[in-house]
């Protein structure tokens, strides 16, 4: 088990290094000059001012130093929590801007990920049991997983928001309420939360249900299941074993899917103008705020790494084989 | 060793899981091609899936030449008109023909899927085959790289790369998507190669003095061909979905049409608030139909290639 975690931690550390390096490399080695484009976007008429701005940005990015020094500086400032200063909301540090948005994204993501996983596995296991259910869960599942996140979000907003008028279709809370921990505000927050949550939940749900259904069917066809039923074991017991075995790959699947779910949350937030990281990223792109964009990238990577680590720990808890240090090390 | 489970959600497709379980190497027994074909033409899932994809592909290929205008973004029609006999899918706030955009957008969608899927499949095959066949230090290294790329969210990388790129085109988008979406497939191929490398025919080939490349592509790859084909289908669908997200964020191809860009402009010009459903329903439905049909066809293929599934 120690070997298992040592390997995992090594991969996480490497991932972080690679992510930071990619983040550092892109503005430096991509075609085009980000500094020049930022200066030209500011539409400064006087050449001296443009010159000063150029120098300022070069200094801010650290483009005036040798490359290896830039790289080390990047790491140095990163480790002290300095993500640079946002261009879009000017003097605010990027880390502050991101931390303000983070609770909204987490509040949307965490319940959607967990609930879709639980409900999806449950629905899939049920579907594997009955033909009628199978014939409804399976096509519905395929339809849901094939939908782009933002489309289901738009459709839900249209049907349940615009047409039915049940839920607000934009923002994280009503504009006439000040954010505070009062009952009114929390209720309003929850009201705005429903549609974005539902769209994330539904798309992810289909994949889990199908995955679980297939797993259970394969498990029920496997040798140990036939052996158990030949021994005269009750069907319920066999199903319980099948479920236990089928759920393990679903745990790994959860880890693999996190990156995709992050992407889903980002575009969903954009549809509903939900004040989380997704909306920030959109604003960063539209305003060419590269510091904010890069900060958001690192935030996402750190978040995915932490979530993966949690899933790894859970995996050890549910799979006895990893505890003996036999399996799991390879993958 | 059993294959590691694939991601089971949006993007890489639910069918990633049946793919893992299919273990086509064990039960493939495809035998003569004619037998496969026999089951293929009798599999409703495969037929329905491929028919839907083929129909949409035909619309994408032959639709644009049949249109009166060559520019799908031309401001020709009435403004914000609901669908009627001249404008089958209505028009946008600016009088653009939604059907013309849809037809052109289908092309972009298929192109990005093909480019992204093909590149991801090639990278996944190279990494998976060599990690699985050679083993040892090379395997450790490649597995490490795979895991690292797997954990970094592809969309986040694409976001910053795309934001810095000035001019973007559909093929370039496909290339970047392909280069970031291969890891799960590489893992699956590696696991399959692992089970094949100790087989007698591979040993025989090795004893005959064949090189790694030859063994991998002459002995191992043909035995996984059905598996590889199914994997490509999933990567294709995944690329389409990722591309639509990028387009929607505003990082799509500059100057052109795609289904994702249509959704983006519908969103940007508040089609939702204006109740112009004909603006945002077709592009999303197009993406869903293509990706969904691919997934369903994939399940059908699994049943065709895997006799154990066929009977049930």
């Amino acid at each position: 088990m120690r070997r298992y975690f040592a390997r995992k931690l090594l991969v996480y550390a490497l991932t972080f290094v690679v992510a930071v390096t990619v983040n550092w490399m892109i503005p430096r080695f991509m075609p085009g000059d980000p500094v020049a484009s930022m200066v030209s976007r500011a539409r400064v008429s006087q050449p001296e001012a443009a010159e000063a701005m150029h120098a300022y940005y070069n200094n801010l990015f650290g483009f005036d130093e040798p490359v290896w020094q830039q790289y080390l500086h990047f790491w140095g400032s990163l480790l002290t929590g300095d993500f640079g200063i946002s261009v879009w909301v000017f003097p605010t540090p990027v880390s502050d801007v991101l931390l303000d948005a983070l609770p909204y994204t987490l509040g949307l993501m965490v319940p959607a990920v967990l609930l879709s996983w639980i409900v999806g596995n449950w629905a899939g296991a049920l579907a594997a049991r009955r033909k009628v259910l199978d014939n409804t869960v399976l096509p519905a599942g395929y339809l849901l997983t094939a939908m782009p996140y933002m489309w289901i979000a738009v459709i839900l907003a249209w049907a349940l928001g615009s047409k039915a008028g049940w839920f607000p279709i934009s923002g994280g809370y009503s504009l006439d309420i000040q954010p505070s921990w009062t009952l009114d505000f929390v209720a309003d927050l929850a009201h705005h939360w429903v549609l974005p949550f539902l769209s994330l939940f539904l798309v992810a749900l289909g994949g889990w249900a199908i995955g679980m259904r297939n797993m259970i069917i394969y498990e029920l066809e496997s040798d140990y299941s036939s052996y158990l039923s030949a021994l005269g074991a009750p069907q319920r017991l066999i199903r319980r074993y099948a479920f236990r075995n089928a759920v393990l790959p679903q745990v790994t699947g959860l880890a693999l899917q996190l990156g995709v779910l992050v992407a889903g949350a980002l575009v969903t937030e954009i549809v509903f103008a939900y004040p989380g990281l997704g909306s920030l990223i959109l604003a960063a792109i539209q305003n060419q705020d590269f510091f904010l964009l890069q900060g958001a990238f690192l935030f996402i990577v750190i978040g995915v790494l932490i979530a993966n680590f949690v899933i790894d720990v859970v995996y050890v808890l549910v799979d006895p084989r990893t505890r003996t240090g036999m399996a799991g090390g390879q993958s | 060793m059993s294959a590691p489970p694939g991601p089971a959600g949006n993007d890489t497709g639910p069918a990633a899981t049946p793919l893992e379980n299919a273990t086509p190497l064990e039960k493939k027994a495809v035998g003569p091609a004619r037998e496969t074909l026999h089951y293929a033409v009798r599999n409703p899932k495969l037929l329905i899936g491929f028919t839907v994809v083929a129909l949409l592909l035909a619309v994408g290929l032959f639709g644009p030449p049949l249109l009166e205008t060559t520019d799908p973004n031309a401001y020709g029609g009435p403004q914000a008109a609901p669908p009627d006999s001249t404008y089958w899918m209505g028009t946008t706030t600016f009088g653009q023909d939604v059907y013309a955009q849809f037809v052109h957008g289908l092309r972009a969608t298929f192109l990005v899927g093909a480019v992204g899927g093909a590149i991801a499949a090639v990278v996944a095959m190279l990494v998976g085959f060599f990690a699985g066949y050679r083993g040892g230090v090379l395997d450790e290294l490649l597995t490490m790289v795979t895991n690292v790329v797997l954990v970094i969210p592809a969309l986040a990388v694409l976001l910053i790369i795309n934001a810095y790129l000035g001019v973007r085109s559909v093929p370039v988008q496909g290339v970047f998507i392909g280069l970031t979406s291969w890891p799960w497939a590489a893992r699956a191929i590696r696991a399959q190669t692992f089970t094949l490398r100790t087989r007698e025919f591979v040993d025989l080939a090795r004893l005959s003095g064949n090189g790694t490349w030859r063994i991998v592509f002459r002995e191992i790859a043909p035995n996984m061909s059905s598996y590889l084909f199914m994997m490509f289908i999933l990567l294709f669908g995944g690329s389409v979905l990722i591309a639509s997200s990028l387009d929607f964020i505003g990082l799509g191809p500059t100057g052109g049409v795609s289904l994702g860009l249509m959704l983006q402009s519908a969103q940007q010009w508040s089609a939702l608030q204006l109740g112009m459903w004909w603006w945002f329903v077709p592009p999303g439905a197009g993406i869903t139909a293509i990706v969904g049909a691919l997934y369903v066809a994939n399940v059908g293929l699994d049943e065709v290639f895997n006799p154990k599934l066929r009977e049930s």
Side-chain angles (χ1 to χ4, degrees):
Chain A
M1 190 166 99
R2 181 178 272 173
R3 189 158 162 260
Y4 169 80
F5 273 115
R7 259 170 187 282
K8 290 283 181 187
L9 283 176
L10 182 61
V11 168
Y12 291 152
L14 264 175
T15 311
F16 186 62
V17 172
V18 171
V20 171
T21 309
V22 166
N23 211 2
W24 171 82
M25 272 168 65
I26 285 174
R28 284 160 185 87
F29 299 111
M30 270 282 141
D33 182 356
V35 173
S37 80
M38 276 197 281
V39 172
S40 72
R41 220 167 17 87
R43 297 211 179 86
V44 191
S45 47
Q46 290 155 304
E48 301 90 58
E51 193 71 29
M53 234 175 132
H54 209 280
Y56 170 73
Y57 277 130
N58 265 334
N59 187 264
L60 209 59
F61 267 117
F63 282 149
D64 45 4
E65 296 170 357
V67 171
W68 62 271
Q69 219 168 357
Q70 290 182 29
Y71 185 64
L72 290 182
H73 269 198
F74 193 72
W75 268 106
S77 54
L78 197 72
L79 294 178
T80 52
D82 176 13
F83 286 69
I85 290 188
S86 169
V87 179
W88 174 50
V89 266
F90 179 61
T92 325
V94 165
S95 48
D96 288 3
V97 181
L98 291 172
L99 281 176
D100 278 348
L102 196 63
Y104 289 97
T105 298
L106 286 182
L108 209 53
M109 278 279 291
V110 175
V113 168
L114 291 180
L115 281 176
S116 67
W117 192 82
I118 293 168
V119 177
N121 279 329
W122 171 77
L126 270 188
R129 203 171 302 173
R130 288 195 197 86
K131 200 75 197 162
V132 188
L133 268 175
D134 200 20
N135 286 336
T136 49
V137 169
L138 203 58
Y142 279 116
L143 197 68
L144 286 176
T145 39
M147 282 185 186
Y149 283 95
M150 65 277 183
W151 191 58
I152 198 169
V154 170
I155 297 289
L156 280 177
W158 177 51
L160 302 182
S162 280
K163 286 276 162 192
W166 293 343
F167 300 104
I169 55 171
S170 118
Y173 48 86
S174 303
L175 290 175
D176 52 356
I177 299 187
Q178 279 294 319
S180 60
W181 286 115
T182 58
L183 204 61
D184 275 355
F185 178 71
V186 173
D188 189 59
L189 205 65
H191 200 205
H192 281 77
W193 172 84
V194 174
L195 284 184
F197 162 77
L198 208 57
S199 54
L200 277 174
F201 172 77
L202 283 176
V203 178
L205 181 71
W208 298 126
I210 292 169
M212 191 60 177
R213 174 223 171 240
N214 292 334
M215 288 292 180
I216 294 253
I217 287 179
Y218 278 101
E219 292 295 334
L220 288 177
E221 280 174 1
S222 68
D223 291 343
Y224 76 86
S225 294
S226 328
Y227 181 64
L228 275 177
S229 69
L231 287 179
Q235 206 53 32
R236 278 189 51 183
L237 183 79
I238 302 176
R239 287 194 182 281
R240 203 158 70 211
Y241 279 120
F243 184 83
R244 279 189 171 191
N245 280 314
V247 102
L248 289 177
Q250 295 287 86
V251 176
T252 323
L254 189 58
L256 295 183
Q257 274 308 94
L258 272 173
V260 176
L261 292 166
V262 165
L266 298 187
V267 289
T268 303
E269 279 182 15
I270 292 172
V271 172
F272 292 103
Y274 206 73
L277 289 180
S279 304
L280 265 191
I281 286 176
L282 183 67
I285 290 168
Q286 284 168 350
N287 297 289
Q288 303 217 359
D289 186 345
F290 292 120
F291 295 109
L292 188 54
L293 192 63
Q294 290 180 320
F297 170 77
L298 283 178
F299 251 60
I300 291 172
V301 171
I302 294 169
V304 169
L305 288 180
I306 292 173
N308 263 288
F309 183 72
V310 171
I311 292 170
D312 279 339
V313 172
V314 171
Y315 196 80
V316 171
L317 293 179
V318 292
D319 186 0
R321 281 170 302 181
T322 30
R323 255 173 282 165
T324 59
M326 293 294 289
Q330 287 289 335
S331 48
Chain B
M1 177 182 169
S2 67
N10 204 334
D11 201 70
T12 39
T17 322
L19 185 62
E20 303 300 343
N21 289 294
T23 48
L25 323 167
E26 303 296 336
K27 299 151 199 154
K28 201 171 65 168
V30 182
R34 194 184 287 169
E35 194 202 339
T36 311
L37 198 67
H38 171 89
Y39 285 106
V41 294
R42 279 166 188 76
N43 187 299
K45 290 182 189 126
L46 186 61
L47 287 183
I48 293 172
F50 275 155
T51 308
V52 170
V53 174
L55 277 177
L56 286 168
L57 182 63
V59 171
L61 283 179
F62 305 116
L66 295 177
L67 293 170
E68 285 170 23
T69 52
T70 47
D71 178 13
N73 288 327
Y75 307 104
Q79 292 177 351
D84 61 22
S85 54
T86 11
Y87 296 97
W88 296 352
M89 290 182 180
T91 57
T92 69
T93 316
F94 312 103
Q96 293 155 308
D97 184 358
V98 177
Y99 178 71
Q101 293 191 337
F102 180 76
V103 168
H104 276 93
L106 278 177
R107 284 190 169 188
T109 296
F110 276 106
L111 183 61
V112 86
V115 173
I119 289 177
V122 168
V123 177
M125 275 161 64
L126 286 177
V127 173
F129 280 145
F130 286 99
Y133 178 71
R134 292 289 290 274
V137 182
L138 184 72
D139 177 35
E140 295 270 340
L141 208 71
L142 287 177
T143 305
M144 195 72 93
V145 173
T146 310
N147 286 337
V148 167
V149 182
L150 196 65
V151 178
I152 300 178
L155 190 93
V157 182
L158 291 171
L159 266 173
I160 56 172
I161 291 177
N162 272 9
Y164 280 107
L165 280 180
V167 177
R168 296 179 289 258
S169 70
V170 177
V172 169
Q173 193 183 35
V175 169
F176 280 114
I177 291 173
L179 289 178
T180 47
S181 60
W182 53 269
W184 69 266
R187 262 173 77 152
I189 292 177
R190 171 183 170 273
Q192 294 290 345
T193 311
F194 236 72
T195 66
L196 272 180
R197 114 182 139 154
T198 48
R199 296 296 186 79
E200 290 87 351
F201 64 90
V202 177
D203 285 338
L204 196 66
R206 203 179 299 127
L207 287 174
S208 320
N210 287 322
T212 305
W213 277 89
R214 204 180 153 82
I215 294 177
V216 163
F217 288 104
R218 285 286 178 81
E219 308 292 338
I220 292 179
N223 275 286
M224 291 169 57
S225 54
S226 60
Y227 190 86
L228 296 173
F229 182 59
M230 287 165 61
M231 200 194 65
F232 171 70
I233 290 181
L234 295 182
L235 289 170
F236 189 110
S239 299
V240 168
L241 285 175
I242 298 174
S244 72
S245 294
L246 284 174
D247 293 358
F248 186 74
I249 298 174
L251 295 172
T254 35
V257 203
S258 76
L259 298 182
L261 284 175
M262 288 173 72
L263 273 174
Q264 191 223 356
S265 59
Q267 163 78 13
Q268 200 173 359
W269 303 106
S270 25
L272 183 66
Q273 285 80 0
L274 298 171
M276 293 166 65
W277 56 267
W278 56 87
W279 196 352
F280 57 78
V281 169
I287 296 168
T288 308
I290 293 173
V291 179
L294 284 174
Y295 288 170
V296 170
N298 212 41
V299 182
L301 274 178
D302 197 12
E303 291 173 1
V304 169
F305 291 135
N306 190 345
K308 202 173 168 187
L309 286 174
R310 217 180 270 156
E311 288 132 35
S312 58

